[in-house]
Amino acid sequence: MSKKKDILKAALQLFTENGERATSTKSIASEAETSEALIFRHFGTKEKLLEEIIKNGYQESTKLISQFLHEENGLEYILKIVEVPRILVHAHPNFWKMQHKIIALNLLSQKHHDFFMKPCYDRLKIAFSELNYENPALEAKLLLIYIDGMWKHFASRQLDSKTETALTALVQQKYRAHN
């Protein structure tokens, strides 16, 4: 593994455990078994290091769900998007746990998350329109609020796997019943 990857891995681990503000470049260097100078050479600042982690996390997440959410049928898209929080958090738990800790206070983190979710909102509006919902845009917003809350609960490990599965199935059942 390259030193740059070691630094990214160590930083993600420490940001996840301690949050961005409580993590120093000195602690990252120690965890990565490298020097602070190398961190600054690769990333310039701690903020740019965090930005690289966020970009990488969302790129990986986009790859993961793009195949999963490539569904033409509106109802099937809705049913699948309800599963996204569980899929993402289980695939990259440290990234989503870190995001949960920093998103409220970090504009860059929020910006990347909003950009990541925008295509889902657009597709959900179409899906709800196809299913003749009275207000497709509001339905899309409501479902995204659910999704946002669920990934945060899953990332913070507030729910066990059985409850995560049951909640996902319950929401899916509600949308199936509407049809």
Side-chain angles (χ1 to χ4, degrees):
M1 188 181 278
S2 74
K3 277 298 173 187
K4 187 174 181 179
K5 286 183 181 180
D6 290 343
I7 293 166
L8 288 166
K9 182 179 176 186
L12 175 59
Q13 183 63 39
L14 292 172
F15 290 152
T16 299
E17 290 173 8
N18 308 319
E20 170 208 1
R21 293 178 188 203
T23 300
S24 67
T25 53
K26 184 177 182 176
S27 64
I28 295 167
S30 176
E31 182 74 19
E33 297 178 354
T34 191
S35 67
E36 277 185 281
L38 192 59
I39 292 172
F40 294 122
R41 188 175 315 135
H42 281 298
F43 302 100
T45 65
K46 182 174 83 168
E47 290 73 25
K48 290 194 185 224
L49 170 59
L50 176 62
E51 182 175 4
E52 183 80 16
I53 291 169
I54 292 169
K55 282 182 186 178
N56 290 344
Y58 280 110
Q59 285 172 351
E60 289 176 23
S61 296
T62 298
K63 287 178 195 172
L64 183 65
I65 69 165
S66 65
Q67 295 173 340
F68 182 74
L69 289 178
H70 196 63
E71 184 61 52
E72 297 302 318
N73 175 301
L75 179 60
E76 288 302 314
Y77 183 83
I78 292 166
L79 297 176
K80 284 185 173 185
I81 202 165
V82 169
E83 295 179 50
V84 164
R86 221 165 30 104
I87 291 167
L88 291 177
V89 171
H90 288 271
H92 303 290
N94 278 350
F95 173 73
W96 290 100
K97 187 175 181 182
M98 179 198 75
Q99 273 295 89
H100 176 257
K101 285 186 173 186
I102 70 170
I103 200 164
L105 301 173
N106 187 296
L107 292 176
L108 181 66
S109 173
Q110 184 64 55
K111 179 182 134 190
H112 280 277
H113 188 73
D114 291 346
F115 184 76
F116 173 72
M117 293 305 295
K118 175 90 170 77
C120 297
Y121 173 70
D122 294 339
R123 179 61 179 99
L124 280 171
K125 285 192 304 186
I126 293 167
F128 284 119
S129 182
E130 289 171 1
L131 296 170
N132 298 316
Y133 275 73
E134 187 174 319
N135 193 329
L138 277 179
E139 289 291 342
K141 284 188 185 296
L142 180 62
L143 184 51
L144 288 178
I145 290 168
Y146 159 80
I147 288 168
D148 194 54
M150 292 314 293
W151 78 256
K152 289 174 182 174
H153 274 77
F154 297 167
S156 65
R157 303 205 195 293
Q158 292 182 14
L159 303 170
D160 59 68
S161 183
K162 186 176 179 181
T163 304
E164 289 177 7
T165 302
L167 286 170
T168 300
L170 180 63
V171 173
Q172 289 173 324
Q173 179 183 355
K174 290 179 185 291
Y175 286 110
R176 279 188 189 105
H178 181 269
N179 262 348

